[in-house]
């Protein structure tokens, strides 16, 4: 997939450097948000099913200099408990630098720096599925590392060779509870509400811009996921305007500029639902909830390769998945329990049923298929 869906934004780079273990999750959801239970971390220890010589990786990590560099599109609030608990487990890791980049820019920057012979990133992490698939379609772009945690995870945990899902994040439907005039539980429900008063909803619905790889991935996954998907979309899209980020969609729904929106990331919607109770509501569409594996992999010449391996293994462990959930992402390891303040894959299954979950495949879409889908989608949008 080429430039037709790539959006390499020229944004300022936000770099967060975490030093030591004094990392706290800023309560973007407000002080009244439910608190996650304490995640008890066993320092410098690992499960019995790990290789008998796993200590060699730990010893090598101690020689890495205590640094880890991550290129990612993941928000700092999501990372904070993960970094905190990883440094509790391995206190010799003193500095974690996490660049907050545009979804596609993660790969653009890595490729550019590799070409110059100066590539400082140890780990790449983004939920831009199509961009990941395109980047990793050539051999040697990620390290072929097999985590000992893989045997304890569902079969969808490894999304591509060398690339794991750090979370399985649902994409949902949101609406302004005070202004919409209904409580849709699906895209079809939203279509039915719009049909009652089309003039009211003209330009008042927001969809995701399909010219970006994230928007393309989730929109096409939903459209391909059910026999009636295009019927619902054909009724909703004429009232819709596209936005390039979930954050923008959420802000404009909360303010009333939009009455509802769909294909919004749960990672930013969950905190807003807690903060704006009675105004902003987020639901998993019962006619198809798209779930994105947030891909993470180690760069082939990672400067701190052993530390990166420890990080991947921790992230996939029960300790790590609890931290993933605490940060607002959706854990998928079966042993992570659904409690107040934590979201799990099982929660989605319980609400919509396994048959109504649409997992986005990590595979390259041809340019012809990209163009056909984008043209059809944009042709339906309101003008």
């Amino acid at each position: 997939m080429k430039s037709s869906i790539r959006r390499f934004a020229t944004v300022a780079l936000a770099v967060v450097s975490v030093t030591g273990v004094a990392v706290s999750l800023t309560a973007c959801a407000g002080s009244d948000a439910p608190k996650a239970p304490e995640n008890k971390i066993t320092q410098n220890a690992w499960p019995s099913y790990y290789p008998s010589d796993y200590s060699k990786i730990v010893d090598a990590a101690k020689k890495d200099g205590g640094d880890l560099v991550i290129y990612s599109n993941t928000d700092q609030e999501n990372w904070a408990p993960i970094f905190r608990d990883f440094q509790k487990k391995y206190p010799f890791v003193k500095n974690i630098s996490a660049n907050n980049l545009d979804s596609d820019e993660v790969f653009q920057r890595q490729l550019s720096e590799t070409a110059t012979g100066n590539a400082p990133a140890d780990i790449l992490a983004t939920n831009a599925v199509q961009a990941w698939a395109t980047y990793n379609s050539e051999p040697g772009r990620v390290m072929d590392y097999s985590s000992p945690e893989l045997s304890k995870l569902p079969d969808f945990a490894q999304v591509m060779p060398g690339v794991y899902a750090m979370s399985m994040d649902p994409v949902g439907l949101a609406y302004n509870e005070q202004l919409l005039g209904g409580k849709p539980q699906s895209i079809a429900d939203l279509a039915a509400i719009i049909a009652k008063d089309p003039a009211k909803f003209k330009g008042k619905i927001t969809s995701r811009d399909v010219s970006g790889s994230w928007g393309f991935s989730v929109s096409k996954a939903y459209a391909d996921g059910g026999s009636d998907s295009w019927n619902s979309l054909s009724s909703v899209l004429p009232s819709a305007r596209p936005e390039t980020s979930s954050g923008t969609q959420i802000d404009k729904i909360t303010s009333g500029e939009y009455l509802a929106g769909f294909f919004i990331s749960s990672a930013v919607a969950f905190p807003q639902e807690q903060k704006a109770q009675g105004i902003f509501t987020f639901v998993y569409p019962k006619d198809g909830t798209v779930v994105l594996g947030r891909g993470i992999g180690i760069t082939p010449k990672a400067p701190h390769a052993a530390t990166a391996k420890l990080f991947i293994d921790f992230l996939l462990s029960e300790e790590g998945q609890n931290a993933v959930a605490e940060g607002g992402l959706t854990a998928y390891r079966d042993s992570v329990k659904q409690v107040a303040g934590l979201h799990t894959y099982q929660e989605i299954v319980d609400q919509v049923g396994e048959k109504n979950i649409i997992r986005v495949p990590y595979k390259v879409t041809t340019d012809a298929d990209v163009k056909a889908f984008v043209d059809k989608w944009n042709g339906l949008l309101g003008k």
Side-chain angles (χ1 to χ4, degrees), residues 356-369:
N356 292 318
I357 292 177
I358 303 168
R359 291 198 296 272
V360 183
Y362 272 62
K363 64 180 183 181
V364 177
T365 303
T366 67
D367 287 346
D369 286 345

Side-chain angles (χ1 to χ4, degrees), residues 33-377:
K35 304 294 184 183
E38 180 185 359
N39 190 16
K40 296 181 179 179
I41 303 298
T42 305
Q43 189 178 106
N44 284 317
W46 43 91
S48 59
Y49 53 84
Y50 276 35
S52 58
D53 61 350
Y54 192 76
S55 60
K56 292 181 179 179
I57 297 179
V58 178
D59 290 340
K62 291 178 180 178
K63 298 177 182 178
D64 277 344
D67 295 328
L68 184 68
V69 178
I70 301 172
Y71 286 180
S72 146
N73 73 333
T74 303
D75 289 340
Q76 304 310 320
E77 289 86 355
N78 303 134
W79 278 127
I82 299 171
F83 294 164
R84 178 200 67 205
D85 290 349
F86 178 64
Q87 290 179 304
K88 283 182 181 177
K89 190 169 190 70
Y90 299 110
F92 57 84
V93 180
K94 301 298 183 182
N95 303 297
I96 303 175
S97 175
N99 279 335
N100 195 358
L101 305 171
D102 176 82
S103 298
D104 302 316
E105 192 179 3
V106 168
F107 304 108
Q108 183 194 42
R109 182 163 179 176
Q110 173 65 15
L111 289 172
S112 297
E113 292 176 342
T114 299
T116 65
N118 179 27
D122 299 300
I123 286 174
L124 307 178
T126 172
N127 56 359
V129 171
Q130 289 294 322
W132 246 126
T134 301
Y135 171 81
N136 204 31
S137 62
E138 295 187 20
R141 287 187 167 173
V142 293
M143 183 182 293
D144 184 16
Y145 177 62
S146 181
S147 172
E149 292 290 352
L150 191 58
S151 64
K152 304 297 181 180
L153 297 170
D155 58 6
F156 51 78
Q158 189 166 23
V159 294
M160 294 184 77
V163 182
Y164 296 93
M166 63 178 277
S167 59
M168 294 296 292
D169 301 316
V171 177
L173 165 69
Y175 59 92
N176 188 306
E177 192 172 322
Q178 297 183 353
L179 300 177
L180 181 65
K183 296 184 177 182
Q185 299 298 305
S186 64
I187 307 298
D189 287 350
L190 181 59
I193 292 171
I194 293 171
K196 293 177 182 178
D197 190 357
K200 172 184 175 181
F201 295 100
K202 189 67 174 178
K204 291 292 187 178
I205 307 297
T206 175
S207 63
R208 193 59 180 258
D209 187 352
V210 295
S211 65
S213 64
W214 194 93
F216 174 85
S217 295
V218 299
S219 301
K220 190 173 190 302
Y222 175 81
D224 292 346
S227 57
D228 294 328
S229 299
W230 277 113
N231 289 335
S232 297
L233 291 170
S234 297
S235 299
V236 173
L237 287 174
S239 299
R241 289 187 291 156
E243 297 289 352
T244 59
S245 75
S246 293
T248 301
Q249 290 177 301
I250 287 170
D251 288 345
K252 292 184 177 182
I253 292 170
T254 305
S255 70
E257 181 174 340
Y258 292 124
L259 304 183
F262 53 98
F263 305 154
I264 295 172
S265 171
S266 60
V268 285
F270 287 147
Q272 180 67 1
E273 188 172 36
Q274 286 295 330
K275 184 169 66 175
Q277 290 184 13
I279 298 176
F280 180 87
T281 299
F282 178 76
V283 299
Y284 304 138
K286 295 186 181 299
D287 53 357
T289 294
V290 175
V291 175
L292 282 146
R294 187 175 295 262
I296 187 166
I298 304 172
T299 60
K301 296 181 179 180
H304 313 101
T307 305
K309 292 175 183 179
L310 292 185
F311 187 78
I312 293 292
D313 295 340
F314 171 77
L315 197 65
L316 300 177
S317 70
E318 183 173 336
E319 292 173 332
Q321 286 286 289
N322 275 308
V324 163
E326 183 182 343
L329 303 179
T330 301
Y332 63 93
R333 190 179 173 110
D334 291 341
S335 56
V336 176
K337 304 304 180 185
Q338 182 185 338
V339 297
L342 302 182
H343 294 282
T344 67
Y345 181 82
Q346 187 60 46
E347 173 189 352
I348 313 169
V349 174
D350 292 343
Q351 291 194 29
V352 305
E354 183 71 51
K355 66 182 179 63
N356 292 318
I357 292 177
I358 303 168
R359 291 198 296 272
V360 183
Y362 272 62
K363 64 180 183 181
V364 177
T365 303
T366 67
D367 287 346
D369 286 345
V370 169
K371 185 179 187 306
F373 177 83
V374 170
D375 287 350
K376 182 175 182 178
W377 183 277

